[in-house]
Amino acid sequence: MGTESIEFWYEFASPYSWIAAERIERLAAEAGVDFRWRPFLIGPILRQRPHNPSPTQDASPAQKIYRRRDVERLCAREGLALHWPTAYPRNGLLAARVAQTLGDAARRAFSLAVFRANFVRDGEISNMAVIAGLLEEMGRDVAADLARAQAPENKAALAAAVDEAIGKGIFGAPRFVIGTELFWGNDRLEQAVDWARAPWL
Amino acid sequence: MGTESIEFWYEFASPYSWIAAERIERLAAEAGVDFRWRPFLIGPILRQRPHNPSPTQDASPAQKIYRRRDVERLCAREGLALHWPTAYPRNGLLAARVAQTLGDAARRAFSLAVFRANFVRDGEISNMAVIAGLLEEMGRDVAADLARAQAPENKAALAAAVDEAIGKGIFGAPRFVIGTELFWGNDRLEQAVDWARAPWL
């Protein structure tokens, strides 16, 4: 098959990134499509918005109410045990740096663990002890992983990933990328998978 | 069946409203769900955004490129003959006023005609001659419809519809409303239909 792999760009603060991350495993297996997990940060991209240079979305009250209800409905439909984070959005910088250092399989497992800490167990994922606990549960060498995560070259690698995302035209998470084709949002995951198998345009 | 009807709130400038309008007929028939078509204007709502009191979305260049490609892909998938409007977004005020005056069946037919004028035939829907032409094709009394559309009480009725939308928490189009439950976007249409038949939360 000529199926291309799909880049999955995700932000740990984003509930829609979490829902997509949970759904990807099943869809990848069913469709025979391969996903490359690409952690990044949406804050530096939001800060570039022409009319609102803020690193968070600054949603209106109506938007905040809608988003939470939408996520609750989606999770109920997907059988995901959402506990809406008491701090939202949480800072995913440390988690993204750790994810950036890990190889493919460990990155996927760690990233799912971070999402579940944030959205199921209401864990403060910006806290180093919380991240260390997740690595420990995975049987990782925690001190080594954290040291690598915070080394200057890894910080630069994550910053380069954000620049790469901007270069690709990414302005929100999650994003599915196949060559130059972008699909934005958990609700475009099926289309991305279909496109990877057979582009229709 | 205890199925509730779904309010379909739409804006004539919005390509996602158009795609939803085209899909609703088939879904309504398949699901046995009834839609009430509610024209409104998104400009006065965008103008209330805390950080950007502009009546248009002011999307970034990357967002504009993405939106157009997303709409092109969706239309190709749905078999809709999109011609991206050479003026975008077009002002839907006059069309919304006319739609507001019409009864249910005529409103639906007229609204689909306006959407197709805007997104298939690249017609300037803010132009009265264009709107008059659509009414004429429907066999309407054009002068009477236009006079009613621009009567003060109808202008007030459309303004009241916008206020009603704001009161319901609507901040984007299209929107599907079932009681207090809101679904935002063409990509939530199937969920809205499922919810109308059997809420899952």
PDB file of all heavy atoms in Angstrom, chain A residues 43-63:
ATOM      1  N   GLY A  43       1.041  27.897  22.825  1.00  0.00           N
ATOM      2  CA  GLY A  43       1.182  29.252  23.368  1.00  0.00           C
ATOM      3  C   GLY A  43       1.958  30.205  22.472  1.00  0.00           C
ATOM      4  O   GLY A  43       1.481  31.312  22.161  1.00  0.00           O
ATOM      5  N   PRO A  44       3.172  29.804  22.032  1.00  0.00           N
ATOM      6  CA  PRO A  44       3.950  30.721  21.183  1.00  0.00           C
ATOM      7  C   PRO A  44       3.248  31.047  19.869  1.00  0.00           C
ATOM      8  O   PRO A  44       3.500  32.099  19.275  1.00  0.00           O
ATOM      9  CB  PRO A  44       5.241  29.933  20.916  1.00  0.00           C
ATOM     10  CG  PRO A  44       5.311  28.911  22.000  1.00  0.00           C
ATOM     11  CD  PRO A  44       3.895  28.577  22.363  1.00  0.00           C
ATOM     12  N   ILE A  45       2.381  30.163  19.415  1.00  0.00           N
ATOM     13  CA  ILE A  45       1.664  30.400  18.159  1.00  0.00           C
ATOM     14  C   ILE A  45       0.493  31.354  18.399  1.00  0.00           C
ATOM     15  O   ILE A  45       0.265  32.296  17.632  1.00  0.00           O
ATOM     16  CB  ILE A  45       1.200  29.063  17.541  1.00  0.00           C
ATOM     17  CG1 ILE A  45       2.434  28.208  17.213  1.00  0.00           C
ATOM     18  CG2 ILE A  45       0.340  29.296  16.309  1.00  0.00           C
ATOM     19  CD1 ILE A  45       2.139  26.819  16.710  1.00  0.00           C
ATOM     20  N   LEU A  46      -0.243  31.141  19.493  1.00  0.00           N
ATOM     21  CA  LEU A  46      -1.342  32.055  19.826  1.00  0.00           C
ATOM     22  C   LEU A  46      -0.806  33.475  20.015  1.00  0.00           C
ATOM     23  O   LEU A  46      -1.454  34.445  19.643  1.00  0.00           O
ATOM     24  CB  LEU A  46      -2.056  31.596  21.103  1.00  0.00           C
ATOM     25  CG  LEU A  46      -2.829  30.279  21.001  1.00  0.00           C
ATOM     26  CD1 LEU A  46      -3.421  29.904  22.349  1.00  0.00           C
ATOM     27  CD2 LEU A  46      -3.928  30.375  19.951  1.00  0.00           C
ATOM     28  N   ARG A  47       0.393  33.558  20.570  1.00  0.00           N
ATOM     29  CA  ARG A  47       0.983  34.876  20.834  1.00  0.00           C
ATOM     30  C   ARG A  47       1.221  35.657  19.543  1.00  0.00           C
ATOM     31  O   ARG A  47       1.402  36.869  19.569  1.00  0.00           O
ATOM     32  CB  ARG A  47       2.297  34.692  21.604  1.00  0.00           C
ATOM     33  CG  ARG A  47       2.623  35.836  22.530  1.00  0.00           C
ATOM     34  CD  ARG A  47       3.898  35.563  23.316  1.00  0.00           C
ATOM     35  NE  ARG A  47       3.685  34.711  24.465  1.00  0.00           N
ATOM     36  CZ  ARG A  47       4.343  33.572  24.725  1.00  0.00           C
ATOM     37  NH1 ARG A  47       5.268  33.141  23.898  1.00  0.00           N
ATOM     38  NH2 ARG A  47       4.075  32.878  25.804  1.00  0.00           N
ATOM     39  N   GLN A  48       1.227  34.962  18.420  1.00  0.00           N
ATOM     40  CA  GLN A  48       1.437  35.650  17.133  1.00  0.00           C
ATOM     41  C   GLN A  48       0.146  36.140  16.483  1.00  0.00           C
ATOM     42  O   GLN A  48       0.192  36.722  15.402  1.00  0.00           O
ATOM     43  CB  GLN A  48       2.139  34.704  16.142  1.00  0.00           C
ATOM     44  CG  GLN A  48       3.559  34.369  16.538  1.00  0.00           C
ATOM     45  CD  GLN A  48       4.299  33.661  15.410  1.00  0.00           C
ATOM     46  OE1 GLN A  48       3.712  33.295  14.409  1.00  0.00           O
ATOM     47  NE2 GLN A  48       5.595  33.463  15.591  1.00  0.00           N
ATOM     48  N   ARG A  49      -1.010  35.892  17.124  1.00  0.00           N
ATOM     49  CA  ARG A  49      -2.265  36.329  16.500  1.00  0.00           C
ATOM     50  C   ARG A  49      -2.280  37.842  16.332  1.00  0.00           C
ATOM     51  O   ARG A  49      -1.977  38.579  17.275  1.00  0.00           O
ATOM     52  CB  ARG A  49      -3.461  35.893  17.348  1.00  0.00           C
ATOM     53  CG  ARG A  49      -3.733  34.403  17.268  1.00  0.00           C
ATOM     54  CD  ARG A  49      -4.847  34.018  18.203  1.00  0.00           C
ATOM     55  NE  ARG A  49      -4.465  34.288  19.594  1.00  0.00           N
ATOM     56  CZ  ARG A  49      -5.241  34.054  20.637  1.00  0.00           C
ATOM     57  NH1 ARG A  49      -6.448  33.587  20.460  1.00  0.00           N
ATOM     58  NH2 ARG A  49      -4.827  34.313  21.857  1.00  0.00           N
ATOM     59  N   PRO A  50      -2.706  38.301  15.161  1.00  0.00           N
ATOM     60  CA  PRO A  50      -2.596  39.735  14.879  1.00  0.00           C
ATOM     61  C   PRO A  50      -3.367  40.611  15.862  1.00  0.00           C
ATOM     62  O   PRO A  50      -2.892  41.676  16.239  1.00  0.00           O
ATOM     63  CB  PRO A  50      -3.170  39.862  13.454  1.00  0.00           C
ATOM     64  CG  PRO A  50      -3.897  38.580  13.187  1.00  0.00           C
ATOM     65  CD  PRO A  50      -3.243  37.539  14.018  1.00  0.00           C
ATOM     66  N   HIS A  51      -4.558  40.150  16.301  1.00  0.00           N
ATOM     67  CA  HIS A  51      -5.393  41.034  17.103  1.00  0.00           C
ATOM     68  C   HIS A  51      -5.366  40.703  18.585  1.00  0.00           C
ATOM     69  O   HIS A  51      -6.059  41.328  19.363  1.00  0.00           O
ATOM     70  CB  HIS A  51      -6.842  40.986  16.598  1.00  0.00           C
ATOM     71  CG  HIS A  51      -6.968  41.489  15.208  1.00  0.00           C
ATOM     72  ND1 HIS A  51      -7.109  42.819  14.920  1.00  0.00           N
ATOM     73  CD2 HIS A  51      -6.899  40.857  14.015  1.00  0.00           C
ATOM     74  CE1 HIS A  51      -7.155  42.986  13.614  1.00  0.00           C
ATOM     75  NE2 HIS A  51      -7.031  41.805  13.037  1.00  0.00           N
ATOM     76  N   ASN A  52      -4.598  39.683  18.954  1.00  0.00           N
ATOM     77  CA  ASN A  52      -4.626  39.286  20.357  1.00  0.00           C
ATOM     78  C   ASN A  52      -3.349  38.543  20.733  1.00  0.00           C
ATOM     79  O   ASN A  52      -3.321  37.328  20.742  1.00  0.00           O
ATOM     80  CB  ASN A  52      -5.853  38.398  20.610  1.00  0.00           C
ATOM     81  CG  ASN A  52      -5.977  38.043  22.074  1.00  0.00           C
ATOM     82  OD1 ASN A  52      -5.299  38.614  22.926  1.00  0.00           O
ATOM     83  ND2 ASN A  52      -6.834  37.080  22.362  1.00  0.00           N
ATOM     84  N   PRO A  53      -2.290  39.272  21.035  1.00  0.00           N
ATOM     85  CA  PRO A  53      -0.990  38.647  21.301  1.00  0.00           C
ATOM     86  C   PRO A  53      -0.924  38.050  22.700  1.00  0.00           C
ATOM     87  O   PRO A  53      -0.043  38.377  23.478  1.00  0.00           O
ATOM     88  CB  PRO A  53      -0.024  39.813  21.134  1.00  0.00           C
ATOM     89  CG  PRO A  53      -0.819  41.011  21.554  1.00  0.00           C
ATOM     90  CD  PRO A  53      -2.236  40.739  21.144  1.00  0.00           C
ATOM     91  N   SER A  54      -1.854  37.150  23.000  1.00  0.00           N
ATOM     92  CA  SER A  54      -1.873  36.494  24.302  1.00  0.00           C
ATOM     93  C   SER A  54      -1.561  35.021  24.100  1.00  0.00           C
ATOM     94  O   SER A  54      -1.962  34.430  23.096  1.00  0.00           O
ATOM     95  CB  SER A  54      -3.271  36.640  24.918  1.00  0.00           C
ATOM     96  OG  SER A  54      -3.521  35.597  25.823  1.00  0.00           O
ATOM     97  N   PRO A  55      -0.830  34.399  25.057  1.00  0.00           N
ATOM     98  CA  PRO A  55      -0.473  32.989  24.870  1.00  0.00           C
ATOM     99  C   PRO A  55      -1.615  32.022  25.187  1.00  0.00           C
ATOM    100  O   PRO A  55      -1.486  30.827  24.951  1.00  0.00           O
ATOM    101  CB  PRO A  55       0.687  32.797  25.843  1.00  0.00           C
ATOM    102  CG  PRO A  55       0.438  33.806  26.917  1.00  0.00           C
ATOM    103  CD  PRO A  55      -0.226  34.976  26.265  1.00  0.00           C
ATOM    104  N   THR A  56      -2.726  32.508  25.739  1.00  0.00           N
ATOM    105  CA  THR A  56      -3.878  31.617  25.931  1.00  0.00           C
ATOM    106  C   THR A  56      -5.009  32.088  25.018  1.00  0.00           C
ATOM    107  O   THR A  56      -4.944  33.159  24.422  1.00  0.00           O
ATOM    108  CB  THR A  56      -4.354  31.590  27.396  1.00  0.00           C
ATOM    109  OG1 THR A  56      -4.651  32.926  27.802  1.00  0.00           O
ATOM    110  CG2 THR A  56      -3.276  31.007  28.295  1.00  0.00           C
ATOM    111  N   GLN A  57      -6.055  31.281  24.922  1.00  0.00           N
ATOM    112  CA  GLN A  57      -7.044  31.557  23.877  1.00  0.00           C
ATOM    113  C   GLN A  57      -7.939  32.750  24.179  1.00  0.00           C
ATOM    114  O   GLN A  57      -8.541  33.311  23.290  1.00  0.00           O
ATOM    115  CB  GLN A  57      -7.886  30.304  23.628  1.00  0.00           C
ATOM    116  CG  GLN A  57      -7.054  29.222  22.921  1.00  0.00           C
ATOM    117  CD  GLN A  57      -7.859  28.001  22.630  1.00  0.00           C
ATOM    118  OE1 GLN A  57      -8.644  27.554  23.471  1.00  0.00           O
ATOM    119  NE2 GLN A  57      -7.680  27.429  21.457  1.00  0.00           N
ATOM    120  N   ASP A  58      -8.069  33.121  25.460  1.00  0.00           N
ATOM    121  CA  ASP A  58      -8.957  34.216  25.829  1.00  0.00           C
ATOM    122  C   ASP A  58     -10.348  34.015  25.254  1.00  0.00           C
ATOM    123  O   ASP A  58     -10.917  34.920  24.636  1.00  0.00           O
ATOM    124  CB  ASP A  58      -8.389  35.566  25.358  1.00  0.00           C
ATOM    125  CG  ASP A  58      -7.071  35.884  26.050  1.00  0.00           C
ATOM    126  OD1 ASP A  58      -6.974  35.658  27.263  1.00  0.00           O
ATOM    127  OD2 ASP A  58      -6.145  36.327  25.374  1.00  0.00           O
ATOM    128  N   ALA A  59     -10.877  32.833  25.451  1.00  0.00           N
ATOM    129  CA  ALA A  59     -12.226  32.553  24.975  1.00  0.00           C
ATOM    130  C   ALA A  59     -13.226  33.401  25.748  1.00  0.00           C
ATOM    131  O   ALA A  59     -13.007  33.749  26.910  1.00  0.00           O
ATOM    132  CB  ALA A  59     -12.539  31.069  25.159  1.00  0.00           C
ATOM    133  N   SER A  60     -14.332  33.729  25.086  1.00  0.00           N
ATOM    134  CA  SER A  60     -15.409  34.454  25.763  1.00  0.00           C
ATOM    135  C   SER A  60     -16.085  33.503  26.746  1.00  0.00           C
ATOM    136  O   SER A  60     -15.933  32.285  26.661  1.00  0.00           O
ATOM    137  CB  SER A  60     -16.412  34.950  24.729  1.00  0.00           C
ATOM    138  OG  SER A  60     -17.121  33.848  24.185  1.00  0.00           O
ATOM    139  N   PRO A  61     -16.846  34.050  27.698  1.00  0.00           N
ATOM    140  CA  PRO A  61     -17.561  33.169  28.638  1.00  0.00           C
ATOM    141  C   PRO A  61     -18.422  32.131  27.907  1.00  0.00           C
ATOM    142  O   PRO A  61     -18.416  30.950  28.268  1.00  0.00           O
ATOM    143  CB  PRO A  61     -18.415  34.154  29.442  1.00  0.00           C
ATOM    144  CG  PRO A  61     -17.646  35.440  29.419  1.00  0.00           C
ATOM    145  CD  PRO A  61     -16.992  35.481  28.058  1.00  0.00           C
ATOM    146  N   ALA A  62     -19.123  32.552  26.851  1.00  0.00           N
ATOM    147  CA  ALA A  62     -19.967  31.600  26.112  1.00  0.00           C
ATOM    148  C   ALA A  62     -19.117  30.504  25.477  1.00  0.00           C
ATOM    149  O   ALA A  62     -19.506  29.329  25.459  1.00  0.00           O
ATOM    150  CB  ALA A  62     -20.779  32.335  25.042  1.00  0.00           C
ATOM    151  N   GLN A  63     -17.937  30.882  24.968  1.00  0.00           N
ATOM    152  CA  GLN A  63     -17.052  29.883  24.355  1.00  0.00           C
ATOM    153  C   GLN A  63     -16.535  28.899  25.390  1.00  0.00           C
ATOM    154  O   GLN A  63     -16.407  27.712  25.112  1.00  0.00           O
ATOM    155  CB  GLN A  63     -15.860  30.575  23.683  1.00  0.00           C
ATOM    156  CG  GLN A  63     -16.168  31.142  22.314  1.00  0.00           C
ATOM    157  CD  GLN A  63     -14.984  31.891  21.730  1.00  0.00           C
ATOM    158  OE1 GLN A  63     -14.499  32.832  22.343  1.00  0.00           O
ATOM    159  NE2 GLN A  63     -14.541  31.483  20.564  1.00  0.00           N
TER     160      GLN A  63
END
